[in-house]
Amino acid sequence: QVQLVESGGGLVQAGGSLRLSCAASGSIFSNYGMGWFRQAPGKEREFVAFISWSGDFTNYADSVKGRFTISRDNAKNMVYLRMNSLKPEDTAVYYCAARRRGTNEYQYWGQGTQVTVSS
């Protein structure tokens, strides 16, 4: 079992920055790849970014590429999402998720943190 708790969301003006954090507990963190997802009102949840268990591999949704950066600190059981040049369309609840090495599905999800970008 893995417990995930996101933090760092809030209200920011367009063009601003935020850093989301996700604290993991309950299992060996380095056994898991980590992802960030988001869900805007009335829309389906969408993929934002992924980082492999070692941190050597990352990938991003096209909509955030060049603006967002995912990172992790396995010693602290933390994963981060640095968000720069925020746009109103980035407004959503952001979730972190964990998937075991060698699997393609995410087994564990956090409760989400709200990010609101005003124009």
Side-chain angles (χ1 to χ4, degrees), residues 64-83:
V64 307
K65 204 170 291 184
R67 300 188 297 122
F68 290 12
T69 302
I70 189 171
S71 62
R72 68 188 293 162
D73 185 335
N74 285 348
K76 295 182 179 180
N77 287 5
M78 297 290 295
V79 63
Y80 306 99
L81 186 69
R82 177 68 180 182
M83 306 185 294

Side-chain angles (χ1 to χ4, degrees), residues 104-115:
N104 291 324
E105 292 186 1
Y106 290 85
Q107 292 86 19
Y108 304 103
W109 294 82
Q111 84 290 346
T113 185
Q114 176 71 46
V115 172

